[in-house]
Amino acid sequence: MAKGKLLYAQSGGVTAVINATAAAVIETARSHGVKVYAARNGILGALREDLIDTSRESKSAIAALHHTPGGAFGSCRYKLKPPATDDSEYVRLMEVMKAHDIRWFLYNGGNDSADTALKLSRLGREYGHEIHCIGVPKTVDNDLVVTDCCPGFGSVARYTALSVREASLDVASMSETSTKVFILEVMGRNAGWIAASAGLAGEGADTPPHVILFPERSFEPRAFLAKVKATVERVGYCTVVASEGIRDADGTLLSDTGGRDAFGHAQLGGVAPLLAQMVNEKLGMKVHWAVPDYLQRSARHAASATDLMQAQAVGKAAVEYALDGMNAVMPVILRGRDSPYRWKIAAAPLARIANREKKMPKSFLSRDGFAITAAARRYLAPLIRGEAPAPCGKDGLPLHAVLKRVAVAKKLAPWDGA
Amino acid sequence: MAKGKLLYAQSGGVTAVINATAAAVIETARSHGVKVYAARNGILGALREDLIDTSRESKSAIAALHHTPGGAFGSCRYKLKPPATDDSEYVRLMEVMKAHDIRWFLYNGGNDSADTALKLSRLGREYGHEIHCIGVPKTVDNDLVVTDCCPGFGSVARYTALSVREASLDVASMSETSTKVFILEVMGRNAGWIAASAGLAGEGADTPPHVILFPERSFEPRAFLAKVKATVERVGYCTVVASEGIRDADGTLLSDTGGRDAFGHAQLGGVAPLLAQMVNEKLGMKVHWAVPDYLQRSARHAASATDLMQAQAVGKAAVEYALDGMNAVMPVILRGRDSPYRWKIAAAPLARIANREKKMPKSFLSRDGFAITAAARRYLAPLIRGEAPAPCGKDGLPLHAVLKRVAVAKKLAPWDGA
């Protein structure tokens, strides 16, 4: 074994393929003779010195992570205190890294996590313990900058397009006497990437989805209802895909419940029933609605093979960058061509990524704001390609990794924080 | 071509595999040289003389129906007037059958449709046109009597168990700082078969789903909240599966919106957000909820191979029974053994099936009413086995049948009914 250990942590909302990144990290590190610790429940495990020794997991258990959704080592929503005002948490992290001779830290998350990894990367020398910090991209929201797309997004995009296609066949077949309007609510707090991916289900005004509601456009009830009505009159039914983050002209979230998560974001959910009520009341049509919620981001059984490969590639590259001595970078996906699709991995500075959010280009939304453009199709289409289902067991259900999660013996006093 | 035609119609809520039954019907009839007409939008098409000539569809288009969800010829919710008080609709149906020399009528639906097929079967001689009426079982609700299970149910059961398993991994990985309780609402108006199938996701009190709410048990908020609280304290999180049809001690539907469908059934949906609010208010825990709605019954991509085979088998048998001169029967599924699972098709009189509803045996529910028993597992387990995904196209999405749906020339005056 090489001197020093690699610490891997998962952060924020998990995805169908984040464990494939974890598997690639562990397998690549093992091939270099480097021991990997995983923080239990993300950065909280690092603060608490609650570390899992992944070298105690069998080769087959790690391999099974490639087809296991969720976060196998636990993730968390926890925002570190800004070191400029209170550096106690960053100091603690450095103490834990030092105590366990952790030389490489891989933080698998979104733009919040990139910021944390960046701040940590600057502290090594100050605390007398050199550490190489690598951000590893992951988010179904597809809202990281620099990278062409984010691992996790392609699979939720495929699930969404596939669900729209399947459910619309159901609605179409019964629309004469039953449901006329079907509303599918999808994730997407500020950027409508997932809603846009629904557009891949079909092309043309008569093909579902007929209406997509993006957070990028303010929601205008009259235009929406007119579009739904016209679609039902012309096609016989109407499939609507609504982003959870749609806002009215004042910028107020339609679904704002007043609840806030650990990062201060409004806790969303429930736009679909609101829209359903509106359609039913104003147009007098029978409406059904669906909110897949976590089903969409954990649907490993319907994952995109492209997304899976990219999730694995960023994990492998992150280890290689770390062992090569790079610091404060993230392996990002660069697109060569749309068709045939070509991509490669490259290192990008975390400073360019941390705390920024990529919105959809305006050129991706149709003029009326209810559909995607050809440019959006060119971008999105390759990301959902290929099937990569998990193997199934005798019970007919997908097989998932079963880990031992053996704790590393603690060396420090308990952390007195959260 | 043989003298006489076979008319096939789909009825009521569609499923992931009802088109596989349709494909088997058409393929079997073709192999016997019998032409198949399909009623457009179910029995309404028969009343309107709006018939589709399936002989105009290519072999490959019919083959593609085996992996196309929804109802390819259209279905409807339409209850015929009882012939005892107003026989105009049944008279019209006989006129259409006579005009098009329809000798065999296959009605693919649930217990309402079995009743219609039964009534029609008795009218042939009276109207001077002998007709053989066969009911073909189909319903995700699994509530037909006599048959061991209903085509369509196994696939929604597999989707439900699979979704519980996947989404629970997501919830488990983030439960320390985020969602503690996840509530999945599933279909099932009066019988909790779909909710029960969620139980196949795992076994034991600590394995999801931790709480199942069945329509067979009256909902007791205190017992429910206590169970959720204890589960979160013990396991760290709690996955709840709730049937849309759960009722309080007075028998009132939790989700009753006051809306009624064409059959006079209450239009349901929305139990999950009600339960979520209750858990959040009373236990102060972060809750997420999902309502897959039509996604669950159209999820052909996650269909059970067993269910698919049974859907095909009842279609084939229905044609054979009809051509053999049988009348007023339904091909039903009889179970030989649980393990290894053995089943066969047999003919059962429609009179034993029409308008009855199979509830879950009491022995399938655990004593506290929140879980399934070993007996339920023995019954349910074989039904979700095997994968049978649709082939995917270059776009990465499932391929579905594209039909021409060529109308048969009308011979009668327009129907003056609905």
Side-chain angles (χ1 to χ4, degrees):
Chain A
M1 283 281 170
K3 190 172 154 46
K5 281 139 206 141
L6 186 151
L7 178 64
Y8 169 79
Q10 302 180 324
S11 175
V14 293
T15 78
V17 297
I18 185 174
N19 287 332
T21 299
V25 164
I26 294 167
E27 286 165 348
T28 308
R30 282 186 180 186
S31 76
H32 286 91
V34 170
K35 187 179 268 201
V36 175
Y37 288 169
R40 196 187 306 268
N41 295 336
I43 204 71
L44 280 174
L47 287 164
R48 292 170 180 159
E49 200 193 357
D50 191 357
L51 310 177
I52 293 162
D53 184 352
T54 72
S55 71
R56 305 288 291 272
E57 309 292 347
S58 69
K59 198 175 165 182
S60 63
I62 298 303
L65 287 175
H66 286 289
H67 50 79
T68 303
F73 302 106
S75 184
C76 69
R77 296 199 185 279
Y78 182 81
K79 193 147 181 103
L80 292 171
K81 294 176 190 121
T85 54
D86 179 349
D87 67 354
S88 61
E89 291 178 334
Y90 282 88
V91 170
R92 169 72 181 183
L93 287 175
M94 290 311 301
E95 281 170 1
V96 171
M97 307 270 185
K98 225 165 153 173
H100 292 275
D101 195 20
I102 290 160
R103 300 289 172 133
W104 306 283
F105 176 55
L106 270 52
Y107 202 23
N108 200 174
N111 36 33
D112 286 322
S113 319
D115 178 60
T116 301
L118 177 61
K119 284 176 177 148
L120 257 182
S121 74
R122 292 167 175 159
L123 295 178
R125 281 188 201 166
E126 194 176 324
Y127 289 91
H129 176 71
E130 200 180 352
I131 184 155
H132 300 275
C133 294
I134 312 287
V136 193
K138 171 266 359 170
T139 169
V140 296
D141 294 332
N142 202 38
D143 61 356
L144 289 176
V145 296
V146 185
T147 191
D148 181 67
C149 60
C150 301
F153 170 66
S155 292
V156 71
R158 182 168 188 270
Y159 172 90
T160 301
L162 180 160
S163 297
V164 167
R165 193 175 276 190
E166 289 185 333
S168 295
L169 285 171
D170 186 310
V171 177
S173 58
M174 303 197 58
S175 57
E176 176 160 351
T177 57
S178 184
T179 300
K180 293 267 189 297
V181 181
F182 175 65
I183 302 171
L184 176 70
E185 174 176 331
V186 298
M187 289 179 162
R189 210 174 243 118
N190 301 315
W193 292 106
I194 298 176
S197 67
L200 297 175
E203 205 165 349
D206 291 359
T207 307
H210 308 95
V211 181
I212 307 179
L213 300 175
F214 297 97
E216 284 82 358
R217 293 285 183 107
S218 70
F219 176 70
E220 306 284 356
R222 269 166 53 172
F224 165 68
L225 291 167
K227 178 90 178 176
V228 169
K229 188 163 179 278
T231 305
V232 172
E233 283 167 0
R234 200 176 66 248
V235 185
Y237 73 102
C238 180
T239 298
V240 176
V241 175
S243 165
E244 63 178 344
I246 53 172
R247 289 167 166 80
D248 64 18
D250 302 331
T252 308
L253 284 164
L254 256 70
S255 61
D256 202 344
T257 57
R260 303 256 150 200
D261 73 8
F263 289 99
H265 304 135
Q267 191 188 317
L268 306 180
V271 152
L274 291 175
L275 293 170
Q277 200 181 348
M278 184 185 296
V279 170
N280 184 260
E281 276 174 12
K282 302 290 182 187
L283 301 180
M285 292 170 178
K286 182 173 172 185
V287 187
H288 259 243
W289 52 269
V291 180
D293 192 60
Y294 291 150
L295 270 55
Q296 70 199 288
R297 73 178 196 194
S298 64
R300 179 63 187 78
H301 75 280
S304 143
T306 302
D307 187 38
L308 177 65
M309 278 188 285
Q310 294 178 338
Q312 292 161 335
V314 294
K316 180 169 180 282
V319 174
E320 289 165 353
Y321 294 168
L323 299 185
D324 278 355
M326 295 175 82
N327 191 19
V329 296
M330 174 181 277
V332 295
I333 296 155
L334 299 183
R335 182 180 298 224
R337 304 165 57 161
D338 293 323
S339 179
Y341 181 50
R342 295 282 179 267
W343 58 275
K344 63 173 184 180
I345 302 290
L350 285 175
R352 287 180 56 204
I353 298 164
N355 285 329
R356 297 190 190 175
E357 190 174 61
K358 179 166 76 178
K359 296 229 172 190
M360 271 209 298
K362 283 199 172 145
S363 62
F364 278 20
L365 296 191
S366 67
R367 223 163 146 185
D368 70 0
F370 293 133
I372 57 170
T373 59
R377 276 175 203 286
R378 280 195 298 277
Y379 168 76
L380 292 166
L383 308 183
I384 68 163
R385 283 200 202 121
E387 298 158 84
C392 284
K394 279 200 300 182
D395 62 2
L397 297 176
L399 287 168
H400 298 139
V402 178
L403 300 182
K404 288 182 283 191
R405 297 187 186 87
V406 177
V408 175
K410 295 191 181 184
K411 301 185 174 189
L412 301 173
W415 178 51
D416 55 6
Chain B
M1 282 281 168
K3 189 172 155 43
K5 279 139 207 141
L6 186 150
L7 178 65
Y8 168 79
Q10 301 180 323
S11 175
V14 294
T15 78
V17 297
I18 184 174
N19 287 332
T21 299
V25 163
I26 294 167
E27 287 166 347
T28 308
R30 282 185 179 185
S31 76
H32 286 91
V34 170
K35 187 178 266 199
V36 175
Y37 288 169
R40 197 187 306 268
N41 295 335
I43 204 72
L44 280 174
L47 287 164
R48 292 168 179 162
E49 201 193 355
D50 190 357
L51 310 177
I52 293 163
D53 184 354
T54 72
S55 71
R56 306 289 290 273
E57 309 292 348
S58 70
K59 199 174 163 181
S60 63
I62 298 303
L65 287 175
H66 286 290
H67 50 80
T68 303
F73 302 106
S75 184
C76 69
R77 296 199 184 279
Y78 183 80
K79 191 145 181 106
L80 292 170
K81 293 174 189 125
T85 53
D86 178 350
D87 67 353
S88 61
E89 291 178 333
Y90 281 88
V91 170
R92 169 72 182 183
L93 286 175
M94 290 311 301
E95 280 170 1
V96 170
M97 305 271 184
K98 223 163 155 174
H100 292 275
D101 195 21
I102 289 162
R103 300 291 171 130
W104 305 285
F105 176 56
L106 269 53
Y107 203 23
N108 200 175
N111 36 34
D112 286 322
S113 319
D115 179 59
T116 302
L118 177 61
K119 283 174 179 150
L120 257 182
S121 74
R122 291 167 175 162
L123 295 178
R125 284 197 195 157
E126 195 176 325
Y127 290 92
H129 177 71
E130 201 180 352
I131 183 156
H132 300 275
C133 295
I134 312 287
V136 194
K138 170 267 358 168
T139 170
V140 296
D141 293 332
N142 202 38
D143 61 357
L144 289 175
V145 295
V146 185
T147 191
D148 181 66
C149 61
C150 302
F153 169 66
S155 292
V156 71
R158 183 169 188 270
Y159 172 89
T160 301
L162 181 160
S163 297
V164 166
R165 194 175 278 190
E166 289 185 332
S168 295
L169 285 171
D170 186 312
V171 177
S173 58
M174 303 196 58
S175 58
E176 175 160 355
T177 56
S178 184
T179 300
K180 293 266 189 297
V181 182
F182 175 65
I183 301 172
L184 176 70
E185 174 176 332
V186 298
M187 288 179 162
R189 211 175 242 114
N190 301 316
W193 292 105
I194 299 176
S197 67
L200 297 175
E203 203 164 350
D206 291 358
T207 307
H210 307 97
V211 180
I212 306 179
L213 300 174
F214 298 96
E216 285 83 356
R217 292 286 182 105
S218 71
F219 176 70
E220 306 284 356
R222 270 169 48 177
F224 165 68
L225 291 168
K227 178 91 178 176
V228 169
K229 188 163 178 277
T231 304
V232 172
E233 282 167 0
R234 202 177 63 248
V235 185
Y237 73 102
C238 180
T239 298
V240 176
V241 175
S243 164
E244 62 178 344
I246 54 171
R247 289 166 164 81
D248 65 17
D250 302 331
T252 309
L253 284 164
L254 255 71
S255 60
D256 202 345
T257 59
R260 303 257 150 199
D261 73 8
F263 289 99
H265 304 136
Q267 192 188 318
L268 307 181
V271 153
L274 290 177
L275 293 170
Q277 199 181 346
M278 186 184 297
V279 170
N280 185 261
E281 276 174 13
K282 302 292 182 186
L283 301 180
M285 292 169 179
K286 181 172 174 186
V287 187
H288 259 243
W289 52 269
V291 181
D293 191 59
Y294 291 150
L295 271 53
Q296 69 198 287
R297 73 178 194 191
S298 64
R300 179 63 186 80
H301 76 280
S304 142
T306 302
D307 188 37
L308 177 65
M309 278 189 284
Q310 294 179 338
Q312 292 162 335
V314 296
K316 180 169 180 282
V319 173
E320 288 165 353
Y321 294 168
L323 300 185
D324 278 355
M326 295 174 83
N327 191 20
V329 296
M330 174 180 277
V332 294
I333 296 155
L334 299 183
R335 182 180 298 225
R337 301 166 59 159
D338 293 323
S339 178
Y341 181 49
R342 294 284 179 267
W343 58 277
K344 62 174 184 180
I345 302 291
L350 285 175
R352 286 179 56 203
I353 297 164
N355 287 328
R356 298 193 189 172
E357 191 175 58
K358 179 166 74 178
K359 297 231 171 187
M360 270 209 300
K362 284 200 171 140
S363 62
F364 279 19
L365 296 192
S366 67
R367 223 165 147 182
D368 70 1
F370 293 132
I372 58 171
T373 59
R377 277 177 202 283
R378 280 194 298 274
Y379 169 76
L380 293 166
L383 308 183
I384 68 163
R385 284 202 200 117
E387 297 158 85
C392 284
K394 279 200 299 182
D395 62 2
L397 297 176
L399 288 168
H400 297 138
V402 178
L403 300 182
K404 289 183 282 192
R405 297 187 185 88
V406 177
V408 175
K410 294 192 180 183
K411 301 184 175 188
L412 301 173
W415 178 52
D416 54 7

